[in-house]
Amino acid sequence: MTETANKTDLPPFFPDRTQLPESDGTFVQNFQEYPQSLLLTDSLTSTLQRLHPDGYYCIGQDCGIYWRETEPPEKGAEAPDWFYVGNVPPKLQGQYRRSYVIWREHIAPTIVLEFASGDGREQRDRTPLYRRGEEVTKPGKFWVYEQIIRAPYYGIFSIRDNSLEVYHHVDGFYQAMTPNDRGHYPIPPMQVELGVWEGTYQNQTQHWLRWWDLEGNLLLIGQEEAQQERQKRQQLEEKLRSLSPEQLATLGIDLDAIG
């Protein structure tokens, strides 16, 4: 009797990351997507190290989030251009992640971001999953993120007109957020704000998605931090060179040693 019950109660086999495709074979839609993802990740590193001193978090860039078993398997996945999940290990059993499998992890990404090359229709598609016999209607991205993955925050950045819209998951549905006085969208769980910045990155001068802290200070990438340190050092040297030898001696500073 016990043996029969155990067999009946066992859940069906769910594939894991090693058995699921890591790509759906589609092309990246524009040249901005890759540097945009790098910019978001690089500038957030120190913040995430503070939030997760144990290193338990992962970031996906065009990686599949599997939410439903289908045939072929990749039809049951969405691949946001960028997403962040906290409180999960960066590797699984010592191996790099190939995808993020909801039915294995049970933790939703805190935020998913899509970079819309066209009019954003695909990213705003609320078509629900519908079954009639063998016929299955493919659900829209918006519906999947809202109803199945349930990421607390969903952002759509339109590359065509440099606009950003962010949604917050409230009472089971996404509600459009209103930007603050700085034009940014606060993401409290990450202790950051998300907004649009105009500048040059990787030889491209245009509008980019960037992070700010909750006081409105831009989170810098490594290159910007190094440049800022160089500027501070140059300003200090210029200030010291304006002092007389007597003043430098009083301060115990050897200008040749720091120059």
Side-chain angles (χ1 to χ4, degrees):
M1 182 70 177
T2 303
E3 188 175 327
T4 304
N6 286 343
K7 288 182 179 178
T8 304
D9 293 342
L10 284 175
F13 176 74
F14 289 109
D16 64 17
R17 70 195 187 286
T18 65
Q19 300 158 311
L20 294 166
E22 55 189 300
S23 172
D24 63 0
T26 59
F27 290 107
V28 173
Q29 294 183 5
N30 62 74
F31 284 90
Q32 188 179 355
E33 286 190 15
Y34 180 64
Q36 174 63 89
S37 294
L38 290 179
L39 181 57
L40 286 170
T41 301
D42 188 358
S43 60
L44 198 60
T45 300
S46 59
T47 298
L48 293 181
Q49 287 174 342
R50 186 179 70 252
L51 290 176
H52 305 286
D54 57 2
Y56 266 46
Y57 70 89
C58 70
I59 289 174
Q61 300 173 170
D62 260 335
C63 297
I65 300 177
Y66 279 90
W67 60 274
R68 181 170 68 104
E69 284 192 276
T70 59
E71 186 56 45
E74 55 267 29
K75 285 190 175 182
E78 291 294 343
D81 292 313
W82 193 96
F83 66 91
Y84 150 76
V85 193
N87 302 314
V88 297
K91 293 182 179 181
L92 294 175
Q93 297 176 338
Q95 298 180 354
Y96 288 103
R97 290 178 175 273
R98 297 170 46 180
S99 57
Y100 190 77
V101 185
I102 286 291
W103 60 76
R104 291 280 177 173
E105 310 267 3
H106 305 292
I107 297 178
T110 300
I111 187 170
V112 294
L113 298 174
E114 292 281 2
F115 312 143
S117 298
D119 59 7
R121 186 179 309 172
E122 178 185 354
Q123 290 75 16
R124 299 184 187 92
D125 188 351
R126 301 170 186 250
T127 302
L129 177 67
Y130 176 74
R131 296 176 181 270
R132 176 182 288 177
E134 296 297 321
E135 181 184 353
V136 179
T137 301
K138 184 180 185 301
K141 280 191 174 185
F142 194 104
W143 186 87
V144 172
Y145 295 147
E146 176 188 63
Q147 296 298 317
I148 305 298
I149 296 176
R150 298 182 182 180
Y153 295 90
Y154 175 36
I156 303 172
F157 179 46
S158 176
I159 295 173
R160 177 180 293 180
D161 60 7
N162 308 312
S163 63
L164 171 64
E165 52 196 83
V166 180
Y167 298 87
H168 185 203
H169 206 273
V170 179
D171 296 330
F173 298 93
Y174 277 139
Q175 295 184 5
M177 296 177 63
T178 301
N180 60 21
D181 294 340
R182 292 186 284 269
H184 303 160
Y185 296 89
I187 313 295
M190 300 172 65
Q191 298 181 13
V192 295
E193 297 177 352
L194 181 65
V196 180
W197 171 83
E198 185 176 5
T200 302
Y201 179 65
Q202 291 200 357
N203 202 36
Q204 297 186 52
T205 302
Q206 56 200 35
H207 290 80
W208 304 90
L209 278 187
R210 293 290 300 259
W211 305 106
W212 285 259
D213 65 22
L214 296 178
E215 284 72 48
N217 301 304
L218 182 67
L219 300 187
L220 305 180
I221 60 174
Q223 181 181 351
E224 291 170 332
E225 290 178 341
Q227 183 179 359
Q228 189 179 76
E229 287 301 315
R230 286 195 299 269
Q231 290 174 345
K232 287 181 179 179
R233 182 179 178 85
Q234 289 173 357
Q235 291 170 358
L236 176 60
E237 289 181 5
E238 290 172 3
K239 183 176 181 180
L240 291 176
R241 291 184 188 283
S242 68
L243 300 178
S244 67
E246 291 78 12
Q247 290 174 313
L248 290 172
T250 301
L251 294 172
I253 296 174
D254 182 356
L255 196 58
D256 292 333
I258 66 172

